[in-house]
């Protein structure tokens, strides 16, 4: 299992859902997931199922400002170990660095932390080809506000908040954050340096040292569990948009020779060509269903020479055309 392509679902989800006043069983039934999911301990879902879980929570609550409710319902009891370790930090700066280090334990998102004398910026970096639902992206940003307020007991307000899809209820989010969510090319939140270094009343270094050992062990287990096929898929997600669709590119990214990579894939009863086609197919379906990019743009992002080559390959993979898939999801429209 490639940790960069799965979302972790810990027991904290069950606590959070209960805090929102809805029944976990109803949520899991809506999402088409096993009824005992929250009692299994460590569970990781692929994006499609994780997004279905998030959508089921949204539908069950029936509240357009659900990210605000989630932020207001956050409690220590709902934290997974990686996040609980962060609240033991001395301040937000240290907490962000710690979460960034162990982020893959709680989701397929990288956290970029940038500190200066004036401010601290936290930017969410999602894997190439994965466009997070607006609900998850906004909730991720609001989490930081909830965390720093919970840990400092001060009504800290960020300096700026950017999202590619700002929420429609501008006033409600401004009331909670103290600033409006602005439209931007990334998902990030910025805190003034004085607030980012404000002491956490929950700081507990002995607890952090205890948790760090366990987190390092979990991280090592997760990395060792990734198959070569998983690692190739993960590398392709990063390399394809840059036009690097060859096995030489992937073997270099993974730090192994081309021959070694081919041998390991053969041992897993797979091949680079099969994985390349599967990854291109999955990305193509994602782009067609979740964006309005032209077919020419999609073919470029998938490493094809032209749109005709992409369309022929897509038909071989799916038995249908890019246009038919797009119309099925978005209705009749012009497809370039």
């Amino acid at each position: 299992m490639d940790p960069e392509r799965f979302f972790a679902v810990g027991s904290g989800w069950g606590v959070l859902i209960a805090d929102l006043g809805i029944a976990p069983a109803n949520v899991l039934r809506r999402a088409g997931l096993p009824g005992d999911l929250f009692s299994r301990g460590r569970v990781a879902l692929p994006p499609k199922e994780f997004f279905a879980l998030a959508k089921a929570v949204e539908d069950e609550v029936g509240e357009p400002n659900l990210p605000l409710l989630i932020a207001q319902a956050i409690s220590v009891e709902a934290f997974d170990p990686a996040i609980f370790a962060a609240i033991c930090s001395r301040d937000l700066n240290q907490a962000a660095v710690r979460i960034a280090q162990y982020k893959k334990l709680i989701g397929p998102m990288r956290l970029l932390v940038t500190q200066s004398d004036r401010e601290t910026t936290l930017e969410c970096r999602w894997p190439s080809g994965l466009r997070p639902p607006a609900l998850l992206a906004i909730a991720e940003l609001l989490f930081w506000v909830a965390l720093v307020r919970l840990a400092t007991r001060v009504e800290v307000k960020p300096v700026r908040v950017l999202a590619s899809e700002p929420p429609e209820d501008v006033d409600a989010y401004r009331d909670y954050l103290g600033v409006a969510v602005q439209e931007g090319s990334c998902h990030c939140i910025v805190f003034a340096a004085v607030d980012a270094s404000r002491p956490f009343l929950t700081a507990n270094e002995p607890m952090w040292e205890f948790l760090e050992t366990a987190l390092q062990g979990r991280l090592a287990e997760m990395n060792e569990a990734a198959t070569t096929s998983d690692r190739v898929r993960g590398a392709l997600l990063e390399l394809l948009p840059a036009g690097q669709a060859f096995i030489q590119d992937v073997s270099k990214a993974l730090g192994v020779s081309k021959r070694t990579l081919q041998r390991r894939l053969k041992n897993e009863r797979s091949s680079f060509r099969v994985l390349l086609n599967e990854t291109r197919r999955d990305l193509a379906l994602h782009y067609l269903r979740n964006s309005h990019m032209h077919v020419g743009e999609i073919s470029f992002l998938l490493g094809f020479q032209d749109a005709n080559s992409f369309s022929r390959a897509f038909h071989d993979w799916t038995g249908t055309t890019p246009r038919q898939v797009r119309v099925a999801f978005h209705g009749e429209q012009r497809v370039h």
Side-chain angles (χ1 to χ4, degrees):
M1 179 182 68
D2 179 2
E4 300 294 335
R5 295 290 294 166
F6 283 75
F7 289 76
V9 181
S11 58
W13 265 85
V15 175
L16 178 60
I17 288 172
D19 286 346
L20 290 172
I22 55 179
N26 293 345
V27 171
L28 293 172
R29 187 161 48 248
R30 276 183 183 270
L33 295 171
D36 64 343
L37 185 75
F38 296 135
S39 63
R40 293 184 180 182
R42 301 176 192 172
V43 176
L45 298 178
K48 183 178 179 181
E49 293 183 7
F50 188 93
F51 293 164
L53 175 61
K55 185 65 167 59
V57 173
E58 184 178 13
D59 291 343
E60 191 70 18
V61 175
E63 167 59 56
N65 289 333
L66 180 58
L68 282 175
L69 294 180
I70 293 175
Q72 293 163 349
I74 283 179
S75 62
V76 174
E77 291 80 7
F79 286 169
D80 285 321
I83 300 177
F84 188 76
I87 206 170
C88 296
S89 305
R90 67 171 179 270
D91 55 26
L92 180 62
N93 283 327
Q94 188 178 66
V97 169
R98 287 175 173 176
I99 288 186
Q101 181 180 2
Y102 296 104
K103 188 61 179 175
K104 66 170 62 177
L105 293 176
I106 48 179
M109 187 204 83
R110 292 187 178 92
L111 181 69
L112 181 63
V113 182
T114 306
Q115 298 179 27
S116 72
D117 293 338
R118 298 182 59 186
E119 56 191 29
T120 291
T121 301
L122 309 179
E123 180 181 349
C124 303
R125 294 276 184 91
W126 303 84
S128 176
L130 274 183
R131 182 182 180 185
L135 164 71
L136 290 178
I138 294 297
E140 187 75 34
L141 298 177
L142 295 187
F143 160 78
W144 292 103
V145 178
L147 175 70
V148 69
R149 290 177 180 176
L150 180 66
T152 64
R153 300 302 194 270
V154 174
E155 199 73 3
V156 172
K157 298 178 181 179
V159 176
R160 290 185 303 281
V161 181
L162 301 178
S164 60
E165 296 179 60
E168 294 182 5
D169 194 342
V170 177
D171 293 337
Y173 284 83
R174 183 189 290 114
D175 288 344
Y176 177 76
L177 294 167
V179 296
V181 180
Q182 303 173 25
E183 184 173 1
S185 59
C186 65
H187 295 101
C188 72
I189 186 165
V190 182
F191 292 92
V194 64
D195 288 324
S197 60
R198 193 181 293 276
F200 277 14
L201 301 180
T202 52
N204 189 328
E205 194 61 23
M207 178 62 74
W208 158 250
E209 292 174 357
F210 171 79
L211 290 169
E212 185 180 26
T213 301
L215 291 172
Q216 288 177 342
R218 285 179 55 186
L219 200 58
E221 289 175 5
M222 182 172 282
N223 289 333
E224 290 173 2
T227 65
T228 299
S229 296
D230 286 331
R231 297 182 67 205
V232 168
R233 290 190 185 94
L236 284 170
L237 288 171
E238 300 294 333
L239 295 173
L240 280 174
Q244 298 173 305
F246 300 101
I247 190 170
Q248 293 90 336
D249 301 315
V250 173
S251 60
K252 182 179 179 180
L254 298 181
V256 297
S257 69
K258 174 182 172 181
R259 183 172 296 180
T260 297
L261 182 59
Q262 290 173 321
R263 185 182 70 253
R264 290 178 180 176
L265 290 175
K266 184 178 180 180
N267 291 339
E268 294 178 7
R269 297 184 179 180
S270 186
S271 71
F272 179 77
R273 176 56 55 181
V274 167
L275 295 174
L276 175 61
N277 286 337
E278 289 179 350
T279 304
R280 280 174 157 172
R281 179 201 63 203
D282 293 345
L283 282 175
L285 289 170
H286 175 81
Y287 289 140
L288 290 167
R289 294 169 177 171
N290 298 286
S291 79
H292 295 286
M293 286 190 292
H294 298 172
V295 170
E297 293 177 285
I298 295 175
S299 65
F300 175 77
L301 287 174
L302 298 182
F304 285 93
Q305 294 294 324
D306 54 60
N308 289 333
S309 298
F310 163 60
S311 295
R312 286 194 298 270
F314 187 84
H315 189 273
D316 290 340
W317 301 330
T318 65
T320 187
T321 67
R323 175 185 174 80
Q324 289 171 327
V325 170
R326 176 153 283 169
V327 169
F329 276 80
H330 301 287
E332 190 66 37
Q333 58 182 277
R334 182 182 180 189
V335 179
H336 299 267

